[in-house]
């Protein structure tokens, strides 16, 4: 039994040492941390043979903000606000995950109005997250138009949510015990208009990208991730479902009011970039269905069950809670020592675990395919670094 | 399987496994550090458990007891059940066998815990810092961590 702690420099030197071939030279390229298609500050150290990727070593930590350490000195109400800054495209779902963990641990029951509104907002946010991903995927593959289309429709949805929430990115809407504010009187009406507006746009998306022969060539049979590898490498969310494993917490362990909505979980077949693309586009349709079913049934009631009190105390013990964000399973672990601050708070972020599928997906393939495959993972870097 | 039944069934696997009363929402057990890879491998392979995925790996610094608690969250797609496996290691010599050979994702989850807690994983193929620079001194998520940039807590 040996323990050896190495460094990136040693790893790169070690990996470059086995270059003995007379007709080819293997070399290293740094991709990022400012590369436009890494969607933030992700750095990949690539070992290349010509254009073939032999190794892909992700280097993290460029925007590590030690959210877990900061949270140890904050009460539970404050912890919620930091989660907006992790996966900024699923901020309401992040808030909800912490609120759900705190509510389950402290025994706070919330009424069904709160659950309905949370579920509807989570689905709206899933749609806007996938809209942005769809546009950016087109741009990563060299097509600029989809980005404009995606942002155009996302703006419409953002306006609807902004009216209630008051913010466009770090929404900060869900609290332990309820919501920041009640929904705006226009909300139901405007969401219905949005659904009417966006359904035909999804067909337009299909015309522009899905049925486009260039996109199909770039995505089909590229970055194949077998179901076994996906499970072993910790993938969840659309990445895992693209590989054919029908695991969705909304279906398998329902929370909120997902058990009252009728929806399907789209599943891919061979796990290539195309399957992950198709799963997300299909998820937008399913999310529209969920919102449509729930929208007319929002029951009356308060939007906050408990008066806002920062001194929520949680009994001693370990608590674990999770929910499905736009990218996969977000788990919240709380270790409590009876105080109003967490003794230890840990986030199992979906992107952190999905990222490691990149190397098995892309090994031996071209560097151009890497861009498309990485885009199909839908990485958000602040969520990896936390 | 129900939570209590699952916990009892896992405890019958080996003498190194004992139940943990954790008021978590899932079955929880404690495993001795030396037996960990073998137990997790059996939990993965035996069809009545089928814990195919290592969802998460967390460390907690129980400084008053002088121990680190290492928690592994397992999930079974087949039976749709969760299990939390805890390992206690002493704070002054935190060593535990790696799970990389059983669940490949452990390689990076363990690197994160090494980076922030300084837990050493025996036979880990690539134990490096994950978030911090290679020459960082100390392990920030330990409760007794101090550095020059830390502010006093407002009271």
């Amino acid at each position: 039994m040996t323990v050896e702690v190495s460094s990136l420099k040693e790893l790169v030197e070690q990996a470059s040492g086995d270059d003995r071939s007379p007709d080819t030279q293997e070399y290293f390229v740094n991709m990022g941390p400012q590369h436009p298609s890494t969607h933030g500050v992700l750095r990949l150290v690539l070992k290349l043979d010509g254009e073939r990727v032999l190794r892909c070593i992700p280097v993290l930590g460029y925007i590590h903000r030690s959210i877990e350490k900061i949270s140890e000195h904050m009460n539970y109400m404050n912890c919620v606000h930091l989660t907006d800054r992790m996966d900024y495209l699923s901020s309401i779902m992040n808030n909800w995950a912490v609120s759900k963990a705190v509510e389950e641990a402290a025994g706070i029951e919330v009424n069904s109005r709160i659950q309905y509104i949370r579920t509807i907002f989570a689905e709206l946010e899933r749609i806007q997250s996938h809209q942005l991903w769809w546009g950016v995927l087109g741009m990563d593959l060299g097509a600029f138009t989809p980005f404009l289309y995606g942002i155009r429709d996302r703006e419409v949805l953002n306006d609807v949510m902004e009216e209630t929430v008051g913010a466009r990115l770090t929404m900060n809407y869900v609290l332990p015990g309820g919501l920041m504010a009640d929904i705006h009187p226009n909300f139901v009406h405007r969401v219905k208009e949005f659904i009417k507006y966006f359904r035909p746009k999804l067909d337009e998306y299909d015309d522009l990208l899905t049925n486009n022969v260039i996109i199909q060539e770039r995505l089909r049979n590229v970055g194949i991730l077998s179901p076994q590898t996906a499970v072993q490498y910790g993938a969840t969310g659309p990445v895992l479902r693209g590989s054919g494993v029908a695991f969705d917490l909304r279906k398998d362990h329902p929370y909120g009011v997902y058990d009252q909505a009728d929806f399907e979980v789209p599943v891919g077949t061979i796990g290539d970039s195309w399957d992950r693309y198709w799963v997300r586009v299909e998820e937008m349709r399913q999310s529209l269905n969920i919102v449509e079913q729930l929208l007319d049934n929002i029951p009356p009631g308060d939007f906050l069950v408990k008066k806002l009190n920062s001194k929520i105390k949680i009994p001693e013990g370990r608590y674990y809670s999770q929910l499905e964000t736009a990218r996969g399973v977000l788990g919240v672990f709380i270790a409590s020592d009876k105080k109003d601050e967490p003794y230890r708070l840990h986030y199992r972020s979906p992107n952190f675990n999905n990222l490691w599928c990149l190397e098995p997906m892309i090994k031996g393939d071209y560097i151009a395919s890497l861009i498309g495959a990485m885009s199909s993972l839908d990485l958000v870097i602040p969520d990896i670094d936390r | 399987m129900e939570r209590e039944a699952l916990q009892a069934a896992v405890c019958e696997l080996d003498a190194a496994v004992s139940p943990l009363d954790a008021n978590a929402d899932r079955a929880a057990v404690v495993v001795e550090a030396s037996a960990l890879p073998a137990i997790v491998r059996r939990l993965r392979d035996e069809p009545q458990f089928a814990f195919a995925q290592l969802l998460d790996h967390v460390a907690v610094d129980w400084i008053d007891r002088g121990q680190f608690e290492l928690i592994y969250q397992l999930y079974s797609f087949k039976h749709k059940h969760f299990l939390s496996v805890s390992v206690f290691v002493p704070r002054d010599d935190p060593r535990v066998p790696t799970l990389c050979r059983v669940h490949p994702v452990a390689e990076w989850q363990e690197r994160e815990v090494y980076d922030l807690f300084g837990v050493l994983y025996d036979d880990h193929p690539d134990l490096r810092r994950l978030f911090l620079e290679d020459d960082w001194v100390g392990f920030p998520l330990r409760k007794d961590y101090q550095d020059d940039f830390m502010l006093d807590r407002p009271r």
Side-chain angles (χ1 to χ4, degrees):
Chain A
M1 299 231 281
T2 50
V3 181
E4 261 182 49
V5 180
S6 66
S7 65
L8 180 65
K9 193 165 165 258
E10 285 168 39
L11 185 75
V12 171
E13 276 167 7
Q14 196 188 337
S16 53
D18 50 8
D19 181 17
R20 300 257 185 281
S21 158
D23 52 8
T24 182
Q25 191 182 6
E26 289 159 4
Y27 59 106
F28 284 87
V29 165
N30 261 318
M31 187 171 148
Q34 290 94 5
H35 194 279
S37 79
T38 56
H39 304 272
V41 280
L42 174 67
R43 174 176 166 207
L44 300 173
V45 178
L46 302 175
K47 186 186 181 188
L48 301 172
D49 174 11
E51 279 191 64
R52 300 262 177 198
V53 180
L54 300 181
R55 278 208 72 178
C56 164
I57 308 164
V59 181
L60 310 179
Y62 287 90
I63 41 172
H64 178 59
R65 292 146 299 170
S66 62
I67 285 181
E68 290 172 11
K69 181 81 178 177
I70 298 170
S71 298
E72 286 177 12
H73 301 289
M74 286 182 152
N75 59 47
Y76 292 104
M77 283 294 185
N78 297 347
C79 292
V80 174
H81 308 320
L82 286 181
T83 59
D84 283 345
R85 279 87 185 157
M86 296 192 324
D87 178 356
Y88 47 80
L89 293 173
S90 318
S91 49
I92 286 179
M93 286 176 259
N94 293 351
N95 298 160
W96 190 5
V98 186
S99 307
K100 188 166 162 274
V102 173
E103 281 161 12
E104 282 169 8
I108 303 169
E109 291 265 324
V110 294
N111 64 33
S112 61
R113 180 181 178 83
I114 294 169
Q115 296 288 24
Y116 265 83
I117 296 174
R118 283 177 180 182
T119 312
I120 290 170
F121 264 95
E123 287 314 302
L124 290 177
E125 188 145 57
R126 194 182 310 275
I127 295 170
Q128 65 98 7
S129 166
H130 286 350
Q131 280 170 337
L132 186 73
W133 156 81
W134 181 85
V136 169
L137 179 122
M139 203 158 70
D140 284 348
L141 297 178
F144 197 77
T145 321
F147 186 67
L148 301 176
Y149 277 46
I151 289 287
R152 175 196 66 191
D153 299 335
R154 187 166 172 265
E155 283 302 298
V156 178
L157 182 51
N158 261 352
D159 286 344
V160 176
M161 292 203 276
E162 188 189 8
E163 201 170 41
T164 294
V165 178
R168 298 171 71 85
L169 196 66
T170 50
M171 301 213 187
N172 198 358
Y173 183 55
V174 178
L175 289 173
L179 307 164
M180 275 286 184
D182 207 351
I183 51 172
H184 194 274
N186 289 341
F187 177 74
V188 174
H189 169 68
R190 287 190 69 180
V191 171
K192 276 182 186 162
E193 272 187 351
F194 168 76
I195 293 172
K196 220 184 285 169
Y197 164 83
F198 189 55
R199 275 244 163 79
K201 296 287 183 227
L202 269 171
D203 299 334
E204 204 178 286
Y205 285 17
D206 283 349
D207 289 343
L208 190 66
L209 268 196
T210 316
N211 299 327
N212 185 319
V213 66
I214 302 172
I215 297 297
Q216 299 234 2
E217 292 280 326
R218 290 288 305 271
L219 296 182
R220 274 197 200 271
N221 293 317
V222 168
I224 294 175
L225 186 66
S226 71
Q228 292 82 10
T229 316
V231 167
Q232 285 176 347
Y233 279 74
T236 49
V239 179
L240 183 62
R241 291 196 284 275
S243 292
V245 182
F247 170 60
D248 190 329
L249 281 176
R250 296 177 292 167
K251 209 63 166 183
D252 295 329
H253 302 272
Y255 53 93
V257 287
Y258 283 113
D259 48 349
Q260 299 183 22
D262 181 29
F263 65 101
E264 281 164 26
V265 177
V267 174
T269 46
I270 63 166
D272 53 1
S273 300
W274 171 258
D275 278 336
R276 290 186 284 278
Y277 171 89
W278 182 82
V279 162
R280 288 206 184 84
V281 172
E282 210 50 37
E283 264 184 22
M284 285 196 258
R285 292 207 167 83
Q286 296 300 332
S287 294
L288 283 178
N289 290 347
I290 297 173
V291 174
E292 203 165 37
Q293 289 169 43
L294 298 178
L295 204 55
D296 283 326
N297 306 329
I298 302 177
D302 291 330
F303 64 89
L304 201 61
V305 287
K306 224 176 165 191
K307 204 171 174 328
L308 268 182
N309 180 3
S310 59
K311 300 272 178 210
I312 297 176
K313 284 194 178 139
I314 289 183
E316 201 172 340
R318 304 164 188 78
Y319 303 89
Y320 207 90
S321 173
Q322 69 251 309
L323 55 74
E324 185 89 18
T325 73
R327 278 159 197 78
V329 174
L330 175 70
V332 180
F333 170 84
I334 299 175
S336 168
D337 58 347
K338 284 194 264 185
K339 295 213 184 78
D340 57 340
E341 297 163 345
Y343 186 77
R344 167 99 167 96
L345 184 65
H346 172 80
Y347 298 109
R348 182 241 183 244
S349 63
N351 288 296
F352 178 83
N353 293 275
N354 288 352
L355 169 67
W356 311 112
C357 298
L358 192 57
E359 192 173 2
M361 259 163 63
I362 207 65
K363 222 173 192 171
D365 216 330
Y366 289 115
I367 191 167
S369 311
L370 170 79
I371 308 291
M374 193 160 79
S375 202
S376 76
L377 281 181
D378 193 13
L379 297 172
V380 167
I381 313 305
D383 194 35
I384 298 173
D385 280 1
R386 280 163 288 146
Chain B
M1 246 187 281
E2 285 301 306
R3 191 176 137 187
E4 286 80 14
L6 176 65
Q7 189 163 334
V10 174
C11 290
E12 275 171 25
L13 269 182
D14 197 283
V17 189
S18 51
L20 176 71
D21 184 23
N23 49 345
D25 63 335
R26 58 198 62 189
V29 293
V30 186
V31 174
E32 281 169 28
S34 56
L36 180 72
I39 299 281
V40 175
R41 189 180 288 274
R42 285 178 70 187
L43 286 171
R44 184 191 70 182
D45 293 339
E46 287 185 14
Q48 78 265 33
F49 302 119
F51 285 108
Q53 193 168 51
L54 176 63
L55 265 180
D56 197 3
H57 177 38
V58 197
V60 187
D61 180 5
W62 299 111
I63 192 164
D64 296 342
R65 285 192 264 156
Q67 282 179 321
F68 285 125
E69 182 179 2
L70 306 171
I71 303 172
Y72 301 84
Q73 301 286 349
L74 300 170
Y75 182 68
S76 157
F77 296 104
K78 191 172 156 200
H79 303 294
K80 302 195 191 307
H81 53 208
F82 295 91
L83 178 72
S84 143
V85 175
S86 292
V87 176
F88 289 94
V89 291
R91 253 184 127 255
D92 44 11
D93 181 27
R95 269 166 170 256
V96 70
T98 179
L99 283 184
C100 294
R101 312 282 181 306
V102 191
H103 294 288
V105 70
E107 182 178 336
W108 300 282
Q109 295 178 348
E110 288 173 353
R111 271 179 66 192
E112 183 189 343
V113 172
Y114 163 70
D115 191 4
L116 304 172
F117 283 92
V119 177
L120 296 173
Y121 291 88
D122 284 320
D123 284 336
H124 192 287
D126 181 24
L127 197 62
R128 283 184 290 130
R129 292 224 180 235
L130 186 62
F131 294 132
L132 306 177
E133 292 124 65
D134 284 331
D135 55 356
W136 193 276
V137 180
F139 301 104
L141 271 176
R142 289 189 180 191
K143 288 283 176 187
D144 54 359
Y145 175 78
Q146 285 291 336
D147 73 23
D148 299 340
F149 309 105
M150 285 174 84
L151 301 173
D152 285 335
R153 260 191 89 174
R155 275 282 154 212

